[in-house]
Amino acid sequence: RAAELYCQEGIQNNWALNEPEDHIALELEFAAYLCEKCTQALEEQAEEEFSRCLLKQREFLETHICAWAPRFCEDVIRLAAMDFYKAIAHITAGYLALEQELLGELLEFPQLQTV
């Protein structure tokens, strides 16, 4: 469950506007939070924390967001009446695909495999 991962990172369950824990906005916000943690660890040269954050990001993307959001984006693109929502769905789908690719490449670095 997404809520368990949020709690593991110290994020309390006071979801904005009482949205469900797996709402796309909350899941994308959590993904952004993990990106920020990676950036902070990198700036602090904390290699173990950086590696942990990358692994957590990949796990979250694979087991949560990318398990359903690409199909959701396809449905929005196909069914939305307003072009604005179609565009947002295209951007979101592109971001998720790029994020998965970049995380895969980053995690292939030998330095991260030994941390």
Side-chain angles (χ1 to χ4, degrees):
R1 291 185 23 168
E4 292 170 8
L5 291 173
Y6 302 157
C7 289
Q8 288 174 6
E9 292 298 317
I11 297 172
Q12 300 303 315
N13 64 347
N14 50 354
W15 320 124
L17 303 175
N18 296 318
E19 296 294 347
E21 67 194 41
D22 62 349
H23 189 282
I24 192 165
L26 293 175
E27 289 204 355
L28 290 172
E29 186 175 346
F30 185 66
Y33 168 82
L34 292 174
C35 287
E36 289 174 17
K37 285 192 72 151
C38 280
T39 300
Q40 182 181 4
L42 192 59
E43 288 171 353
E44 295 172 358
Q45 299 180 345
E47 293 177 13
E48 288 184 29
E49 179 65 8
F50 179 67
S51 182
R52 187 195 74 78
C53 288
L54 285 179
L55 290 168
K56 180 73 91 170
Q57 274 185 275
R58 182 176 66 183
E59 174 192 2
F60 186 71
L61 282 174
E62 290 176 356
T63 62
H64 291 278
I65 299 176
C66 290
W68 64 271
R71 174 61 193 219
F72 172 77
C73 290
E74 289 174 12
D75 288 347
V76 171
I77 292 164
R78 188 170 42 85
L79 299 171
M82 297 179 66
D83 288 340
F84 171 80
Y85 293 109
K86 292 179 183 188
I88 295 298
H90 277 290
I91 291 167
T92 302
Y95 161 76
L96 292 173
L98 180 61
E99 186 72 2
Q100 280 189 298
E101 181 181 335
L102 291 174
L103 282 170
E105 290 175 10
L106 282 170
L107 288 166
E108 288 178 8
F109 279 91
Q111 300 91 327
L112 294 176
Q113 295 172 6
T114 59
V115 173

